[in-house]
Amino acid sequence: MTFHEGIAGALVLGPMTKGGNLPYRRLCVELGARVTMSEMAVARRLRQKRRPEFALIRRAPEEPCFGVQLAGNKPEEMAWAAALAEERGADFVDVNLGCPIDRFTRIGLGAALARQPNRVRRLVEAMKRGVSRAPVTAKIRLGWNDEDRNYLEVARAAADGGAEGITVHGRTRDARYRSKADWEAIAEVAAAVPVPVIGNGDLLFGHQAASALARWGCAAVMTARGALIRPWIFREHLEGYRPVGPEERLGIYRRYVALALEHWGDHERGRNQVRTFLLWHLGFWCREVPRRPDGSWPAMQERESRDVSSLPPLEALLAREDEAAHAWLADRLMAGEAVDPEAAPPAEPPAPGAAARTTIDMAEG
């Protein structure tokens, strides 16, 4: 499937450091995703032949339309890396112009690079020269901060350089993931550039993707955290909402474990890796909440206040956020054992002064 065929009306799985691991992408494909993206790979590390970086751009055979996201600020390095990604099976190659993480922006990558639109244009031009068939795309934020919202300038520079698609994350770098996404700004970009625009921000339920497509003039929309919390959002986008009960969710989580063991290996080292990722994913899966009884919908940026004690036992267990519950669940899932809520450890009291996590800083544009 080509990039342009893939994105038409699609809900795209966004690039996410750690969250976009290959087994999780495979799970999302099984649940309806048709466009997936790699974790961000750094062009210089690829050129240095660092093995872990090469693992990030590996494509699963069943991914229908797969994009590799690259970070770099040297045209010759990015051209070389784009050619490598194409050679390794990428259907499109994306340049990260939105990563907010300090350790990347300090060396001029991600959102820092987007402060120089002319440099963005030259970078895209170089990547275009490096590939023979794969479209080059760019993923941007709205700017560095509210005083420097240069998204239209950056989007036009990328398009002028030959980008065949632009993804817009509707927040500035300084906002990270704290504020609501500005979809009106995303719509401005869609109206201003002659290439398809993919809108990104705060999509947690399938119907929200359809609504965003209809309202904001985008060719496609993208989810990141939404897919970490609810990997079945892609099926929901295609088939409509229905509640996913705790037993069905456990089945999905078990499927992830099977895919992860296949990827990392069913041996001590591989199982340790799988467990590390599983614990990380459980920190998102526990945030799943269904449609409210009054018909309204939970929002990405607002954690639902739930009385866990009032829920059925298995639902209450899956909603727990404490490390003891996640470790116990991970052990049961890794062992392929039944999950009996009555055998779970008691809930840990929250640490003094601890605040509920509402967002995560991922190296995602």
Side-chain angles (χ1 to χ4, degrees), residues 113-182:
L113 182 59
R115 305 182 83 176
Q116 305 174 66
N118 288 334
R119 196 171 183 184
V120 167
R121 176 179 50 77
R122 293 194 296 271
L123 203 66
V124 173
E125 287 174 343
M127 294 172 69
K128 287 283 290 182
R129 291 192 296 269
V131 297
S132 60
R133 57 162 183 82
V136 174
T137 64
K139 191 165 193 289
I140 71 174
R141 282 184 172 241
L142 300 183
W144 188 256
N145 53 36
D146 283 337
E147 290 70 48
D148 184 16
R149 287 165 59 104
N150 66 341
Y151 53 95
L152 288 178
E153 190 178 359
V154 176
R156 287 175 176 137
D160 289 346
E164 295 185 42
I166 296 169
T167 299
V168 186
H169 183 127
R171 299 179 179 87
T172 66
R173 183 266 181 183
D174 277 4
R176 305 280 177 134
Y177 303 88
R178 292 186 295 269
S179 59
K180 287 185 178 180
D182 183 349

Side-chain angles (χ1 to χ4, degrees), residues 7-10 166 168 183 186-191 195-200 209 212-222:
I7 66 165
I166 296 169
V168 186
W183 280 85
I186 294 171
E188 281 186 69
V189 178
V195 298
V197 167
I198 302 171
N200 176 208
L213 281 166
R215 183 175 181 185
W216 302 113
C218 297
V221 291
M222 178 179 286

